[in-house]
Structures are given as C-alpha cells and as structure tokens.
Amino acid sequence: AQTVTQSQPEMSVQEAETVTLSCTYDTSENNYYLFWYKQPPSRQMILVIRQEAYKQQNATENRFSVNFQKAAKSFSLKISDSQLGDTAMYFCAFMTHNNAGNMLTFGGGTRLMVKP
Amino acid sequence: KAGVTQTPRYLIKTRGQQVTLSCSPISGHRSVSWYQQTPGQGLQFLFEYFSETQRNKGNFPGRFSGRQFSNSRSEMNVSTLELGDSALYLCASSRATTDTGELFFGEGSRLTVL
C-alpha cells in the first residue's frame, strides 16, 4: 500500500516571497504519478502540478515547481512570488500508473496562509 | 465545459437514517470516484466506478455503497448513518484512460449527522 506524508500541517509566507511545501511517499511501484492539489476555502480541489515518475525533469507550471527526488521518495512544491490567492490547503497525492483505475492516495495536507 | 456537479451541497441527517449523494461528471468522462474528507482522517478513497462497474474500493464498511448509471452519473449511499459519517464527500471524474492521471473534483457534499 502507498502512503503519503506531509510533515507541515501549517505554513505561512509573506506575499511575493517563496515557500516550499514538503511531501514524502512510500511505494514499491516503479510507474506512478505524483500531484499537488490545491483546495481553497471554497473547497473545490484543483490540480496545481503533476509529475510522472519516469520523467527526471522536474515539472513546472508558472510560479509552481516541484523538486522530485525519486530515490528519496520526496516530492516538494515550491511556490514563487506568493499571492494572496495561493492561500489554501495543499495536498500531495499519489496514483499508480496502470490500468487498474484512478485512485489517489492523499497526504494529510498543508494549510498555507499568504500574508499581505 | 461544465465541471463536476455534486448535489446536494449541504444536508443534515440524524443517526440511523440513510443518505444518497449524486455526482454528474464532466461530459465525456467515464470514471467517477468518491472521497471522504474529515478533519481527523483527511482524504480517504471510497470507491471508483467506470462503465457502471465498481473498479476499486477503499476500506470502508458495507454501509457505504455506490453505483454508476449509463450516462456516467454516479450516486453514493450511506445507510444507518453514524456521527462519524459527518464529512465532506468529494466526487471526482476523469477519462477512462489515465494518460495524465488528473482527476477533476466537484465542490463536494457536506453531510452533517446529528
């Protein structure tokens, strides 16, 4: 079974600064996806960024980037130039890359507060 | 393109009652999965349906059940409600083949059991 751990329950950052959210996971699978999902106070979960395990290059989406360390089973999210709208719960998630279906295993989440 | 729609958004039930929640996926999405979100347990996978068949099931008691219709809409049912069933229930949809792995979530149904 897969497990995902987010060791930072809460974090805060000043607007325009950079913050890094940590995530570690445990799996015996070799092919999988890793995700960061954002859940703003309105509750709808949206995808922030996605990484395929077979890709060595770290994924980047505008101000969001990841540091994927496959051997260490680490998948951190860096948010640059933080904005007030980044305030949300952030969930790290894992999905096995096979045809068995779509099932996400989530970490416990990190509540991020961006301060003006 | 309309997103994932969940109804009702809020509901209050008493212990022992049953509840049915509905989820309409994004058009063209054939996979629908359900998650329970609570402050104590976080986000936990309930089950996934694809082409009207349950493809995966999480570790929940048999009181939790679901189904999917031919138009891909899905319902989940919780019978004999317990206080601990109070949660936000999230539905997510995706294409059949997880070429990207991305799931699209609805806003959730907030269930309160008194």
Side-chain angles (χ1 to χ4, degrees):
Chain A
Q2 285 72 232
T3 60
V4 179
T5 303
Q6 294 178 247
S7 59
Q8 305 149 314
E10 293 186 358
M11 295 189 72
S12 64
V13 63
Q14 293 295 131
E15 197 175 7
E17 293 189 346
T18 296
V19 64
T20 299
L21 280 56
S22 301
C23 172
T24 58
Y25 60 95
D26 190 24
T27 184
S28 57
E29 302 283 342
N30 194 44
N31 294 321
Y32 50 87
Y33 296 108
L34 292 164
F35 307 88
W36 280 97
Y37 278 90
K38 169 185 177 182
Q39 188 179 41
S42 65
R43 296 201 305 266
Q44 185 166 27
M45 195 98 67
I46 56 174
L47 179 67
V48 174
I49 198 164
R50 175 178 63 91
Q51 176 82 41
E52 290 146 317
Y54 71 88
K55 291 187 177 179
Q56 293 185 346
Q57 186 172 5
N58 289 325
T60 299
E61 289 287 342
N62 301 313
R63 298 183 294 108
F64 300 87
S65 61
V66 298
N67 183 3
F68 173 47
Q69 304 287 330
K70 190 173 183 179
K73 296 181 180 174
S74 170
F75 184 62
S76 61
L77 173 69
K78 185 172 81 171
I79 306 174
S80 304
D81 186 26
S82 296
Q83 300 175 359
L84 296 178
D86 294 335
T87 292
M89 283 290 291
Y90 287 82
F91 292 96
C92 179
F94 173 102
M95 179 188 289
T96 302
H97 184 7
N98 56 33
N99 291 322
N102 307 332
M103 185 180 79
L104 283 169
T105 300
F106 286 95
T110 296
R111 186 178 303 278
L112 176 67
M113 173 74 72
V114 180
K115 299 179 178 179
Chain B
K1 192 170 176 180
V4 177
T5 304
Q6 292 188 245
T7 57
R9 292 288 310 281
Y10 304 90
L11 66 167
I12 299 173
K13 294 285 186 178
T14 56
R15 280 181 297 174
Q17 288 187 311
Q18 71 149 12
V19 66
T20 299
L21 308 178
S22 179
C23 173
S24 293
I26 291 172
S27 178
H29 285 190
R30 296 169 63 191
S31 167
V32 174
S33 50
W34 290 88
Y35 292 82
Q36 182 196 63
Q37 185 174 19
T38 60
Q41 299 298 318
L43 279 154
Q44 294 185 286
F45 171 77
L46 279 157
F47 27 63
E48 182 208 2
Y49 287 88
F50 171 66
S51 290
E52 303 177 63
T53 300
Q54 188 179 86
R55 190 158 66 169
N56 285 296
K57 188 178 192 306
N59 188 25
F60 278 81
R63 300 185 298 107
F64 291 82
S65 63
R67 59 178 175 169
Q68 186 180 33
F69 302 95
S70 58
N71 62 357
S72 294
R73 188 177 71 86
S74 176
E75 290 181 347
M76 68 163 283
N77 183 276
V78 188
S79 62
T80 318
L81 283 166
E82 301 176 359
L83 295 179
D85 297 333
S86 294
L88 180 67
Y89 289 89
L90 294 172
C91 169
S93 76
S94 64
R95 293 193 297 266
T97 302
T98 56
D99 54 341
T100 67
E102 181 176 1
L103 301 188
F104 296 83
F105 286 84
E107 292 187 331
S109 293
R110 168 75 65 186
L111 170 65
T112 301
V113 182
L114 302 177

